[in-house]
Amino acid sequence: MSTGVLTQEATAGHKPPRLELERFSYDNAIVRMFAYATIIWGAVGMLVGLFVALQLVFPALNFGIEYTSFGRIRPLHTNAVIFAFVGNGIFTGVYYSLQRLCKTRMYSDTLSRVNFWGWQLIIVAAAITLPLGFSTSKEYAELEWPIDIAITLMWVVFGYNMFATILQRRTRHLYVAIWFYIATFVTVAVLHIVNSFELPISFMKSYSWYAGVQDALVQWWYGHNAVAFFLTTPYLGLMYYFVPKAANRPVYSYRLSIIHFWALIFLYIWAGPHHLLYNSLPDWAQSLGVVFSVMLIAPSWGGMLNGLLTLRGVWDKVREEPVLKFMVVALTAYGMATFEGPMLSLKNINAISHFTDWTIAHVHVGGLGWNGMLTFGMLYWLFPRMWNTKLYSVKLANWHFWIATLGILFYAVPMYWAGLTQSLMWKEFTKEGLLAYPNFLEIVTQMKPMYALRAFGGALFILGLFIMAYNLIKTAKAGSFVANEEAEAAPLSDTYERHEGEHWHRWIERRPVQLMVGSLVVILIGGLVEMMPTFLVESNVPTIASVAPYTSLELEGRDIYIKEGCNNCHSQMVRPFRSETERYGEYAKAGEFVYDHPFLWGSKRTGPDLLREGGKYPDSWHYNHMIDPESMSPGSIMPAYPWMAEKALDTSKTGAKISAMRTMGVPYPEGYEDKAVDDLKLQAEEIAARLEQSGVKVSSDKEIIALIAYLQRLGTDIKADPEKEVKPYEVRPEIKK
């Protein structure tokens, strides 16, 4: 039996006729605030993305300014689009739909506004700190610990306001959209807290508590499920509300929505390890990720079909209604992305796609197609209703639709082509058994035309956004905003009588607390099964005797590597493929990363892998490469970092960093923090002396010296003699005169 927003809103609760209707009003003002923020931050986040994309075609576009370099701005783009654009879009849809599904005003206008202003302040904090280089390096979780705490507080405010609203509802049963809102709240809370477990060093510096393999597993358990439970489940809730409303039809299948919900939240949480195939993660964890990723096709496509089949009988309206056009493309993009994701998790396909631009195409089909187009459709539907008028221009909305759709195609197709080109060139051998393209730069230069086309597609999508903003502003000016929309509904009766033949699932639909607890239990199962053995069973991360902690200078250099966002373009993970061991050296071992807080395996190779970089080039090569990349690599698209040779290395926190590392299990001896700076200066002077011998004069106290020390350390431990004792608190013998 089918059901949906229309039927459930009209019948849920089974109110006895003797109960008198209560008058109340819906708070549209908070919806308007989040809607404006969605549009504004969408424009900002996408323009930053366009700026970043153009830097891959014109590297000098950062103008030699450290705050606009690719490594610092790229995470600003991802955070702005995910948490500012999509985040505000979630709050817009939830605050509008939840009130109407529960037949009540939000529990607290004050909490609603605290949620709004707190979230905007978090976004502003991210926009300031990321370009300044304050980053944890963990993808989609780069923000430092004070902002993480602020995110937690605002999420609690949102969750409390949402649950208090649900508990005071005037409808008995919770509609399917609310199930997804509840699952989103509890799962995002768990993901954020577990992944953000870090040890603060100072006000804006921390180290991940986890190291190496464990850190990678936790990060991609979070990273994949941030996509699942921030970019997918809340938007599925919005889909279940706004698609039936726009189509004026009930949801196709109530039973399918039940299967969709429970299967999706149970299976999704297991799939994170598919981001780490052929990496140093234990094979059993990789296999679990693959199995559950493939299984995800079923509930994902069940949800897509439930949305598309809701349009049965009204497909003629799709030709005329731009709102429906946006929603159809959104659902189609969701279906494409959720089919492609499981396919990319298969090892034979992942071997081709991983570290390439194929992944970028996949992510943006979901981001632009699913999140972007559904957000646009929702806003086009909301504005005329909240301003009590008609859309200013249907023609402009249709123009927006076609421009945005073309933008997605111009973005995604070149990136798919680039991804396949990269992988095939990386892996190609001559008939003599040598790499056909041993110089990584030969491959990079082939990408420029495709990067230019990608930027053009992004520009088209942004143009569509500005057309929408103009259209909606004109719509608002033509109407009269209804800040408090009057409504009436009968109160919830004290007793409930089951209907004959009532579906068993109705029991939990009447109990929001039990639904929340059930969702929590379901999502915890997969996370615990995957992570606990990796943390508790030592054989999952075998140690290597020759691997020693970083020297104090190398540790500072690693932090500069993180500050500049080098991990956005370079991986540190040589996979066990002949093409990679020929190009980079020995494949990566789990034991190499036991002292890495955080891990830096990366997820994209715009530049070559750096795991075996140590000793590959002289110090002077690294210096010149950082100051002017094209002097060492003609045609390079890497930005220059001249400020590193000018800025003095801050050693005021070196001792605190050593102490923190020891707290997390790195075997620095007690008291070493007191002599760490002295060792740092000794090693820095050695590097500066070698540079001077090569004709490069630079002071030993500059940041670039520390970065060179770190780069020259990479991959050298497994080449060391395991019988030779190397004390972690001493400058390594091989760099002494």
Side-chain angles (χ1 to χ4, degrees), residues 48 99 187 367 645 695 735:
V48 173
Q99 296 181 78
T187 311
I735 64 170

Side-chain angles (χ1 to χ4, degrees), residues 27-149:
D27 180 10
N28 283 342
I30 188 63
V31 180
R32 176 179 60 180
M33 293 164 71
F34 276 116
Y36 283 161
T38 302
I39 298 167
I40 292 168
W41 289 120
V44 171
M46 292 178 199
L47 284 170
V48 173
L50 179 60
F51 179 58
V52 168
L54 287 170
Q55 284 193 26
L56 293 179
V57 186
F58 309 105
L61 263 184
N62 75 331
F63 308 112
I65 303 171
E66 60 180 300
Y67 311 114
T68 60
S69 65
F70 184 94
R72 296 199 191 184
I73 296 297
R74 190 263 184 180
L76 176 61
H77 162 61
T78 57
N79 278 268
V81 170
I82 294 172
F83 300 109
F85 172 60
V86 174
N88 278 295
I90 291 168
F91 292 131
T92 300
V94 169
Y95 274 102
Y96 183 88
S97 62
L98 187 68
Q99 296 181 78
R100 286 151 181 84
L101 290 170
C102 292
K103 293 286 190 289
T104 184
R105 191 179 181 89
M106 290 303 297
Y107 171 74
S108 169
D109 289 2
T110 300
L111 287 179
S112 298
R113 279 144 187 80
V114 169
N115 182 189
F116 175 80
W117 289 112
W119 198 255
Q120 309 319 308
L121 286 173
I122 288 167
I123 295 165
V124 171
I128 294 171
T129 58
L130 289 172
L132 289 174
F134 296 111
S135 171
T136 66
S137 85
K138 301 182 77 170
E139 205 154 356
Y140 314 139
E142 291 92 346
L143 302 178
E144 272 291 358
W145 68 271
I147 307 176
D148 282 341
I149 292 173

Side-chain angles (χ1 to χ4, degrees), residues 77 206 280 372 439 471 507 575 655 690 704:
H77 162 61
S206 65
S280 297
N439 186 350
N471 203 357
W507 178 87
R575 297 175 293 176
R690 287 201 299 269
I704 198 165

Side-chain angles (χ1 to χ4, degrees), residues 155 221 263 267 293 321 373 398 462 467 578 584 606 665 719:
W155 199 247
W221 170 78
L267 295 175
S293 297
E321 295 287 340
M373 299 297 261
N398 280 317
I462 295 168
I467 291 172
R578 180 187 169 213
Y584 302 118
T606 305
K719 301 173 186 176

Side-chain angles (χ1 to χ4, degrees), residues 473-724:
I473 290 169
K474 297 291 285 186
T475 300
K477 287 185 175 180
S480 177
F481 182 67
V482 182
N484 297 288
E485 184 179 329
E486 296 298 325
E488 58 182 23
L492 203 61
S493 62
D494 294 331
T495 59
Y496 174 75
E497 294 182 9
R498 285 177 57 88
H499 282 236
E500 186 177 347
E502 182 177 279
H503 196 280
W504 62 267
H505 195 262
R506 290 283 188 176
W507 178 87
I508 200 166
E509 291 171 34
R510 299 193 297 271
R511 295 168 171 81
V513 175
Q514 287 88 331
L515 182 61
M516 178 188 70
V517 172
S519 301
L520 180 62
V521 170
V522 166
I523 64 101
L524 284 177
I525 294 171
L528 290 173
V529 169
E530 286 182 340
M531 284 193 284
M532 293 303 286
T534 310
F535 281 85
L536 299 178
V537 181
E538 289 186 11
S539 61
N540 278 293
V541 187
T543 57
I544 299 174
S546 61
V547 173
Y550 297 104
T551 66
S552 49
L553 182 65
E554 291 160 357
L555 185 62
E556 290 287 1
R558 192 172 196 269
D559 285 343
I560 292 170
Y561 184 95
I562 291 170
K563 181 178 76 171
E564 299 300 342
C566 302
N567 53 292
N568 287 295
C569 290
H570 295 282
S571 59
Q572 289 187 23
M573 175 52 60
V574 180
R575 297 175 293 176
F577 301 147
R578 180 187 169 213
S579 58
E580 296 205 5
T581 56
E582 286 286 330
R583 187 181 299 277
Y584 302 118
E586 182 71 12
Y587 70 88
K589 315 294 194 301
E592 293 184 67
F593 309 102
V594 292
Y595 304 133
D596 284 7
H597 297 267
F599 84 112
L600 292 174
W601 296 356
S603 59
K604 173 73 169 67
R605 280 182 187 152
T606 305
D609 190 275
L610 299 181
L611 182 63
R612 307 293 177 219
E613 189 71 6
K616 190 174 181 181
Y617 302 106
D619 295 340
S620 57
W621 187 95
H622 287 292
Y623 178 89
N624 291 319
H625 187 245
M626 298 305 297
I627 302 304
D628 180 11
E630 287 206 81
S631 66
M632 297 291 101
S633 305
S636 172
I637 61 173
M638 176 177 153
Y641 294 87
W643 55 88
M644 284 192 191
E646 300 167 3
K647 294 181 70 172
L649 178 66
D650 180 8
T651 59
S652 62
K653 303 178 186 68
T654 303
K657 291 177 180 180
I658 295 293
S659 295
M661 286 291 181
R662 186 173 58 244
T663 300
M664 295 184 292
V666 180
Y668 293 112
E670 290 289 340
Y672 178 60
E673 57 271 26
D674 298 327
K675 64 171 290 188
V677 175
D678 292 334
D679 277 359
L680 179 152
K681 290 177 179 178
L682 174 62
Q683 187 177 0
E685 288 166 2
E686 293 284 349
I687 294 172
R690 287 201 299 269
L691 285 171
E692 189 169 5
Q693 290 170 7
S694 302
V696 176
K697 189 167 180 60
V698 60
S699 174
S700 63
D701 66 344
K702 302 305 181 185
E703 286 187 344
I704 198 165
I705 299 292
L707 182 66
I708 291 171
Y710 172 63
L711 293 174
Q712 294 289 39
R713 172 67 184 276
L714 289 174
T716 58
D717 280 8
I718 64 166
K719 301 173 186 176
D721 182 356
E723 301 299 324
K724 188 177 180 181

Side-chain angles (χ1 to χ4, degrees), residues 158-198:
F158 165 64
Y160 183 84
N161 203 15
M162 179 178 72
F163 266 94
T165 301
I166 293 170
L167 293 175
Q168 69 179 17
R169 69 194 184 282
R170 292 183 176 87
T171 57
R172 179 73 62 183
H173 289 89
L174 302 177
Y175 178 60
V176 58
I178 300 176
W179 313 347
F180 281 99
Y181 299 160
I182 291 173
T184 295
F185 170 70
V186 296
T187 311
V188 168
V190 171
L191 292 170
H192 176 69
I193 291 170
V194 173
N195 190 51
S196 300
F197 199 59
E198 52 211 3

